[in-house]
Amino acid sequence: MKVLYYRNKDKDVEKKYSTILIKSFEKYGIEFSELFDDDLEKRTSASALFVIGGDGTILDLCSFSCLNNIPIIGINAGKVGFLTEFECTEIETAISLFSQSALVTDLRTALDVTFNDKSYIALNEIVIQRVYAQNLSAHIINLDVKINESYVDKIVGDGVIVCTPTGSTAYSLSSNGAILAPGINAFSITPICAHSLHHRPIIYSADSVCEVDIKKNCLPGVFIDGRFISLVSENEKIIISKSKDSVVFLRRNSWNFFDKLMKKLN
């Protein structure tokens, strides 16, 4: 049994937590190696990827996880830890349960995002929004949204979020979006500071294809899972669909989304 581990160096100062992790691997006879940033585009195989960090760290590793079909076991060294399963005080517990095959699979739907002839995977969301930066005019954003080529609405304002159930508790929730339970086959379209009171979040089938068309004189930015990708110009089309790949997490058998939701929100 071989596993990988990745440590966020800003969270795991002086290897405080990874040292405990390594000692636990050795105690339970698990073969391991460290995953580095330079390895994230490579193909490899492993039974699991242990991640020491917060939700942002896990989001950065989702493409690697999908590419190699390696489940993630998150160890929270961040602030909130919606995506992580164990706290840093539970590292040996995590490895003990893993060694006993006592963890259960949690499959999370992801988004495929295509524009400018490039494709990206998003576990949480794609955000198209106005950008405040030197030498850029931060005009309000004018977008047309379609689902399965049928016109849905024109959104004028700061932008729009298209999120998965996993991402519904992130930026979308902060923008008054609905909470979607994991496993529901749906995505959400959430306007950001819209210039009309009629705009409300829209929940739609994840089996549909969403298209966002950039209109008029604006230059919004595209952000995927919190990471800036690029600016997009007028008449650009962004296609958003359900990814054929899922992001897989390993969790305790007792894991309950609603218990965690209330604990983290409070």
Side-chain angles (χ1 to χ4, degrees), residues 10-178:
D10 294 327
K11 307 291 184 183
D12 184 27
V13 180
E14 296 180 352
K15 299 185 177 182
K16 177 180 178 180
Y17 303 124
S18 54
T19 298
I20 299 172
L21 189 73
I22 289 170
K23 288 181 179 179
S24 298
F25 285 147
E26 292 171 342
K27 176 179 178 178
Y28 288 91
I30 297 173
E31 181 184 354
F32 64 91
S33 60
E34 184 172 359
L35 178 69
F36 298 98
D37 291 333
D38 292 342
D39 301 325
L40 296 184
E41 300 297 326
K42 299 177 181 177
R43 285 196 171 274
T44 187
S45 61
S47 299
L49 169 61
F50 286 79
V51 179
I52 299 175
D55 289 342
T57 308
I58 288 178
L59 290 173
D60 288 342
L61 295 169
C62 284
S63 291
F64 173 83
S65 172
C66 283
L67 176 69
N68 294 288
N69 194 28
I70 300 174
I72 294 172
I73 300 174
I75 298 171
N76 184 31
K79 295 179 180 178
V80 180
F82 260 115
L83 299 177
T84 58
E85 179 61 16
F86 298 93
E87 299 300 321
C88 285
T89 54
E90 301 176 302
I91 290 175
E92 185 170 342
T93 299
I95 295 172
S96 173
L97 290 172
F98 173 73
S99 68
Q100 299 171 55
S101 300
L103 299 176
V104 297
T105 299
D106 175 22
L107 272 66
R108 296 298 180 96
T109 303
L111 298 170
D112 271 341
V113 179
T114 303
F115 68 100
N116 285 340
D117 297 323
K118 292 184 179 179
S119 294
Y120 306 87
I121 291 177
L123 175 60
N124 267 5
E125 76 275 298
I126 171 178
V127 179
I128 305 157
Q129 67 180 17
R130 65 197 298 186
V131 175
Y132 299 89
Q134 189 174 7
N135 300 324
L136 285 179
S137 179
H139 293 296
I140 60 173
I141 304 303
N142 194 324
L143 308 168
D144 279 352
V145 179
K146 301 175 184 176
I147 293 179
N148 290 340
E149 300 184 350
S150 295
Y151 180 80
V152 175
D153 202 356
K154 181 184 294 293
I155 296 177
V156 180
D158 280 4
V160 68
I161 302 163
V162 181
C163 74
T164 66
T166 301
S168 70
T169 54
Y171 190 10
S172 178
L173 181 61
S174 298
S175 301
N176 294 319

